Amino acid sequence: MSKSSDAVHAILRQSEGFRSAQDIFTKMRADGAKIGLTTVYRALQSLSDDGRVDMLRTDDGESVYRACESDVHHHHLVCRRCGHTVEVAGPDVERWAEAVGAEYGFTEVTHTVEVFGTCPDCASAAGSR
Amino acid sequence: MSKSSDAVHAILRQSEGFRSAQDIFTKMRADGAKIGLTTVYRALQSLSDDGRVDMLRTDDGESVYRACESDVHHHHLVCRRCGHTVEVAGPDVERWAEAVGAEYGFTEVTHTVEVFGTCPDCASAAGSR
DNA sequence: GCCGATTTTGACAACGGTTTTCATTTTGCC
DNA sequence: GGCAAAATGAAAACCGTTGTCAAAATCGGC
């Protein structure tokens, strides 16, 4: 479970934003790698389990992955046009989620937070379109 | 696009938490309604478009729906066991998301925030299990 | 290096939720 | 009633993902 995982991880590290499994598979094949789609999924799964990549679901239900830059809990600011991603720490949000959970007596509180927007580059590109 | 939509909406209104499309379909059929799965999906789609129901995706990619109680922007605190849901307003989070977006020059910032936990009832039920 | 045992791999099939298709039914209107 | 437009639903198509299983790579031990 390691050579392929490393290869997949390498692809992610040299990518800017989030990429889908199929996307990664296509790129690796284009690069000449002899890898199967199944293996890509398995690699992504284990990388995700190990916390070495972030995974989130797009609005249309597709899972997308990205190499983490930091291994501490964090969230993402994602450009909805180009996929460019910034990792953001949000201590305020963490506290808020905990507080909300506690207010209603919920335990084992987790949360998902993603912020989407249009990045400066894409905004100016769109403006001149 | 209205009689079926109303029926679906009615089911959602008398439901506690989030329900999946198939779930709704099964229940309606059990109630004796002559409705097709396709129509349920179409109804949910249009209700969602009109902002009359909330829709979110579970971790395993399934879409679930719920009748909104308020039509202003809000988030959800969802019990991961029983699906019981509390609508929560989070002005802090709104501000935070805006601030984060602005910090990196992002425009048209939107955000998705969901908080999951175990509700008091389920926690005690699990404790005595 | 060689051999068997174990793990990893990948082509392909299966799966499950969602969407599309398209023929039929219902609805609205005259 | 009669007709056109909209809604419906059964079944097929879709698509990302997961399971299957036999072939291939890897790892000791000798």
Side-chain angles (χ1 to χ4, degrees):
Chain A
M1 187 74 75
S2 104
K3 236 173 44 201
S4 298
S5 289
D6 289 347
V8 169
H9 197 207
I11 293 286
L12 282 177
R13 265 183 281 112
Q14 73 192 48
S15 302
E16 248 308 299
F18 281 86
R19 309 194 65 140
S20 71
Q22 319 245 11
D23 191 15
I24 293 164
F25 170 66
T26 305
K27 172 147 180 55
M28 292 182 77
R29 273 299 178 84
D31 289 355
K34 297 184 299 298
I35 193 171
L37 183 54
T38 311
T39 306
V40 172
Y41 274 106
R42 266 192 294 243
L44 288 171
Q45 187 118 317
S46 74
L47 286 170
S48 175
D49 287 348
D50 296 352
R52 307 213 296 155
V53 303
D54 294 325
M55 166 199 170
L56 64 86
R57 287 198 185 250
T58 60
D59 285 346
D60 58 326
E62 200 179 16
S63 297
V64 288
Y65 305 83
R66 178 167 193 269
C68 289
E69 279 158 20
S70 66
D71 54 357
V72 301
H73 180 78
H74 58 264
H75 300 291
H76 299 104
L77 173 58
V78 185
C79 174
R80 67 166 66 83
R81 267 178 217 275
C82 66
H84 177 72
T85 302
V86 180
E87 296 191 354
V88 294
D92 295 348
V93 187
E94 320 301 332
R95 276 198 301 274
W96 173 81
E98 276 298 327
V100 165
E103 181 178 349
Y104 295 95
F106 279 52
T107 50
E108 301 173 72
V109 175
T110 60
H111 58 278
T112 65
V113 175
E114 303 300 335
V115 185
F116 298 92
T118 305
C119 76
D121 292 350
C122 288
S124 56
S128 62
R129 182 158 39 90
Chain B
M1 186 73 74
S2 102
K3 233 169 50 196
S4 299
S5 289
D6 289 347
V8 170
H9 198 204
I11 292 286
L12 282 176
R13 264 183 283 111
Q14 73 192 48
S15 301
E16 249 307 298
F18 281 88
R19 309 193 64 139
S20 71
Q22 320 244 12
D23 191 15
I24 294 164
F25 170 66
T26 304
K27 171 147 181 56
M28 292 182 77
R29 274 297 179 86
D31 289 356
K34 296 183 300 300
I35 192 170
L37 183 53
T38 312
T39 306
V40 172
Y41 274 107
R42 267 192 292 243
L44 288 171
Q45 188 121 313
S46 75
L47 286 171
S48 175
D49 288 348
D50 296 352
R52 307 212 296 155
V53 302
D54 294 324
M55 166 201 169
L56 64 85
R57 288 200 183 249
T58 59
D59 286 345
D60 59 325
E62 200 178 16
S63 297
V64 288
Y65 306 82
R66 177 168 194 270
C68 289
E69 277 160 19
S70 65
D71 55 357
V72 300
H73 180 79
H74 59 265
H75 300 291
H76 299 104
L77 173 59
V78 186
C79 174
R80 67 166 68 81
R81 268 178 216 275
C82 67
H84 177 71
T85 302
V86 180
E87 296 190 356
V88 293
D92 296 346
V93 187
E94 321 301 330
R95 277 198 300 275
W96 173 81
E98 278 297 328
V100 165
E103 181 178 349
Y104 295 96
F106 278 53
T107 51
E108 300 172 72
V109 176
T110 61
H111 58 278
T112 66
V113 176
E114 302 301 336
V115 185
F116 297 92
T118 305
C119 76
D121 291 352
C122 288
S124 55
S128 62
R129 184 159 36 89

